[in-house]
Amino acid sequence: MYLQHFGLAETPFSLTPNTGFFFGLAPHVEALQVLQTALQTGEGFIKVTGEVGTGKTLICRKLINELPKRFHCAYLPNPYLTPDELRWAVALELGLKYSANIDQQQLTSLIQQQLMALSAHGHSIVLVLDEAQALPDDSLEALRLFTNLETETRKLLQVVLFAQPELDERLSLKQFRQLRQRITFSYQLRPLTQDEAQAYLHHRLRVAGHQSGELFSAQNSRYLAKAARGIPRLINILAHKALLVAFGEGAANIDRKHIKAAVLDTEDVQAQSPVIWPWALVIVAILSAIIASQLWQGGAA
């Protein structure tokens, strides 16, 4: 709704992870380098953890998109699965067909045969799990047993886990010590610094079509980044709302008051004032006016 006003071709701060907006910030580049290096070794588990909104899914998609052709990737975006469901999910990703007549022992044997066949054709098989903190305890153990499948010289399956820090807490328990020892590489994503956040804002605006990407001044970028605690998802939310408020006022650039309105209207950010409702009502009023205007124009047409 504000694209034309700010000279944008697409929404710059969508919450949907889009690799077209990927920016080479230090924590994200380092995470990808760790993953790419680890996959070359062909050993064990690889783990990337980070707080909600720090960019794990974006890195996950970037990794999958850039895997060399010799890698065969099995991707599970929602691993909240029982051990039986996990085995079938892996089997289907490897190209096997579902059959209710196959028991779990037979299924494991078929998975091993398929892994060996893919390996014989020069493929390295990678199982990528997003939101891995959702794996039940029994499924974590089933996942560990997958990595027992090997030839005399190499593992038949590598596992990449993207997860929130809760997974680290679980893996620290004694019952998961075997799995913990198989994690050969790991990386923990950190929030963005204020300078990184400023570059991030400008980059996304330029990718979205803004000529200069300079809608947020350095000072306002720092203010927004501090409120968002450097978390990219919260930065996107605040930037999007600030653009909405500025558009509603007809402003050409983003001022501190626009960001403050977004901060006070957004949960899980570091607001500097307890007064929330007045600014929330401002944003609601602006959105209502925009929607009403669009409906009126549609009716008039």
Side-chain angles (χ1 to χ4, degrees), residues 42 155 210 220 259:
K155 296 285 186 183
H210 192 268
N220 287 335
I259 301 172

Side-chain angles (χ1 to χ4, degrees), residues 114-126:
Q114 183 73 343
L115 289 173
M116 293 183 70
L118 289 169
S119 180
H121 285 85
H123 292 289
S124 296
I125 302 90
V126 182

Side-chain angles (χ1 to χ4, degrees), residues 56-171:
K56 298 183 296 298
T57 298
L58 180 63
I59 294 171
C60 177
R61 293 183 181 180
K62 183 76 171 174
L63 173 71
I64 292 172
N65 290 346
E66 296 185 354
L67 281 174
K69 291 184 178 180
R70 70 179 181 88
F71 284 94
H72 180 96
C73 180
Y75 174 53
L76 301 182
N78 179 19
Y80 188 66
L81 305 167
T82 66
D84 290 357
E85 291 170 339
L86 178 63
R87 292 187 192 95
W88 270 117
V90 172
L92 294 173
E93 283 291 305
L94 293 176
L96 297 174
K97 294 183 178 180
Y98 178 78
S99 173
N101 298 322
I102 298 176
D103 62 31
Q104 291 300 304
Q105 184 175 357
Q106 292 171 321
L107 179 59
T108 300
S109 178
L110 288 173
I111 290 173
Q112 184 172 15
Q113 292 174 27
Q114 183 73 343
L115 289 173
M116 293 183 70
L118 289 169
S119 180
H121 285 85
H123 292 289
S124 296
I125 302 90
V126 182
L127 175 61
V128 179
L129 295 95
D130 201 3
E131 303 292 349
Q133 76 283 345
L135 275 165
D137 289 356
D138 290 347
S139 298
L140 276 172
E141 177 61 14
L143 192 63
R144 180 186 70 82
L145 294 175
F146 272 133
T147 60
N148 286 340
L149 304 177
E150 58 190 1
T151 66
E152 291 185 357
T153 58
R154 60 179 296 181
K155 296 285 186 183
L156 290 174
L157 181 69
Q158 287 180 277
V159 179
V160 181
L161 303 173
F162 289 89
Q164 295 171 18
E166 288 83 351
L167 180 64
D168 289 327
E169 296 174 7
R170 291 172 62 196
L171 293 178

Side-chain angles (χ1 to χ4, degrees), residues 157-206:
L157 181 69
Q158 287 180 277
V159 179
V160 181
L161 303 173
F162 289 89
Q164 295 171 18
E166 288 83 351
L167 180 64
D168 289 327
E169 296 174 7
R170 291 172 62 196
L171 293 178
S172 67
L173 299 176
K174 185 177 181 180
Q175 69 190 85
F176 294 119
R177 63 189 183 280
Q178 289 180 295
L179 174 56
R180 188 168 64 246
Q181 289 180 4
R182 296 196 182 191
I183 298 173
T184 54
F185 291 86
S186 63
Y187 187 86
Q188 185 172 9
L189 284 170
R190 61 167 175 80
L192 305 184
T193 66
Q194 292 184 1
D195 287 342
E196 288 170 343
Q198 180 181 357
Y200 174 84
L201 288 166
H202 292 172
H203 170 78
R204 293 189 72 98
L205 285 166
R206 286 194 294 269

